[in-house]
């Protein structure tokens, strides 16, 4: 999902931070949502985007729902997104900063900084030609001891990417990307941890208010 001030609902500009937070909290009570996402910004965050991030932080504190973000390409706002959410009282291990495979850097500096702070980083646009750049970055992070902070997903966003339309399908993370990591030397144990244990830990959530049956 692309998200920016242009694609946020128009009323975001006139709603206060508190009003947005209350709407998000209400949504968590009425819809069976399991995560707030993708909360997005472009590289230079606008005032409205910062307001939404503060509101999401508040909504998290009220609900416990984890947060998945969207960064623009190449993810320049990643650290600022984490700063705002942490300032709002969100623990880093409840946050995935998304699309950081787009931030191509052999030294994975921003990715390391985010992992060190305890948040997850999303490598969620793989399974295609960009893998040649993403595989070494993931391997560098595994070697640096950050396997527990990696979150993979497919970021499928249109019907053309689905298998029945001759796309790579939802499973491309598992069927295309993971085998490339294995070939690069990642162990089955590490890959299982990333694919199974990390999302389970991230998504585990005891809602603050019991859900209606
Ligand atoms: Zn996105």
């Amino acid at each position: 999902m692309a998200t920016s001030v242009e694609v946020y609902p128009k009323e975001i500009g006139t709603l206060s931070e508190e009003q947005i937070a209350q709407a998000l909290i209400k949504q968590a009570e009425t819809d069976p949502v399991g995560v707030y996402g993708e909360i997005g910004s472009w590289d230079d965050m606008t005032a409205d985007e910062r307001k939404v991030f503060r509101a999401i932080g508040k909504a998290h504190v009220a609900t416990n729902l984890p947060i998945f973000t969207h960064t623009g390409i190449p993810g320049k706002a990643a650290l600022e997104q984490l700063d705002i959410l942490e300032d709002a009282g969100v623990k880093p291990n409840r946050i995935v900063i998304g699309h950081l495979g787009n931030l191509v850097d052999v030294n994975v500096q921003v990715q390391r900084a985010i992992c060190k702070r305890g948040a997850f980083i999303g490598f969620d646009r793989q399974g295609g030609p960009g893998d040649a750049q993403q595989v070494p970055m993931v391997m560098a992070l595994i070697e640096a001891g950050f396997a527990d902070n990696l979150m993979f997903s497919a970021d499928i966003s249109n019907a053309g990417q689905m298998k029945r339309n001759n796309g790579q399908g939802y499973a491309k993370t598992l069927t295309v990307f993971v085998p490339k990591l294995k070939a690069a030397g990642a162990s089955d144990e590490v890959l299982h941890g990333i694919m199974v244990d990390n999302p389970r830990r991230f998504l585990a959530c005891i809602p603050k208010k019991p859900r209606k049956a």
Side-chain angles (χ1 to χ4, degrees), residues 139-185:
M139 293 308 294
L141 289 162
I142 292 172
E143 277 156 32
F146 294 125
D148 290 349
N149 300 84
L150 299 174
M151 193 68 76
F152 296 166
S153 71
D155 200 36
I156 297 277
S157 58
N158 65 65
Q161 295 171 315
M162 296 175 83
K163 204 93 187 170
R164 67 174 167 195
N165 298 324
N166 299 316
Q168 288 180 310
Y170 281 105
K172 68 177 178 173
T173 300
L174 190 61
T175 58
V176 181
F177 191 59
V178 165
K180 290 179 184 174
L181 293 171
K182 206 171 162 174

Side-chain angles (χ1 to χ4, degrees), residues 1 38 70 99 125 155:
M1 184 174 102
E38 295 176 37
H70 162 107
H99 305 332
R125 279 182 173 163
D155 200 36

Side-chain angles (χ1 to χ4, degrees), residues 22-77:
Q22 288 307 321
L24 290 162
I25 293 164
K26 195 170 165 214
Q27 190 187 11
E29 286 167 7
T30 52
D31 292 345
V33 293
V35 63
Y36 284 129
E38 295 176 37
I39 312 308
S41 77
W42 293 128
D43 279 339
D44 295 310
M45 291 184 81
T46 65
D48 275 342
E49 288 170 346
R50 292 196 185 98
K51 178 171 74 178
V52 168
F53 270 75
R54 290 193 303 270
I56 284 286
K58 274 190 181 169
H60 163 87
V61 170
T63 62
N64 260 349
L65 286 179
I67 300 167
F68 206 115
T69 81
H70 162 107
T71 52
I73 299 171
K76 276 195 226 154

Side-chain angles (χ1 to χ4, degrees), residues 41-121:
S41 77
W42 293 128
D43 279 339
D44 295 310
M45 291 184 81
T46 65
D48 275 342
E49 288 170 346
R50 292 196 185 98
K51 178 171 74 178
V52 168
F53 270 75
R54 290 193 303 270
I56 284 286
K58 274 190 181 169
H60 163 87
V61 170
T63 62
N64 260 349
L65 286 179
I67 300 167
F68 206 115
T69 81
H70 162 107
T71 52
I73 299 171
K76 276 195 226 154
L79 288 164
E80 187 175 359
Q81 288 186 352
L82 184 56
D83 287 343
I84 295 172
L85 293 173
E86 274 201 85
D87 284 348
V90 187
K91 291 201 179 81
N93 65 358
R94 309 306 293 135
I95 302 166
V96 177
I97 303 294
H99 305 332
L100 289 186
N102 291 334
L103 184 53
V104 177
D105 168 17
V106 286
N107 297 315
V108 281
Q109 274 186 323
V110 169
Q111 289 90 341
R112 277 172 197 263
I114 290 173
C115 293
K116 260 188 207 159
R117 286 166 63 173
F120 291 94
I121 52 174

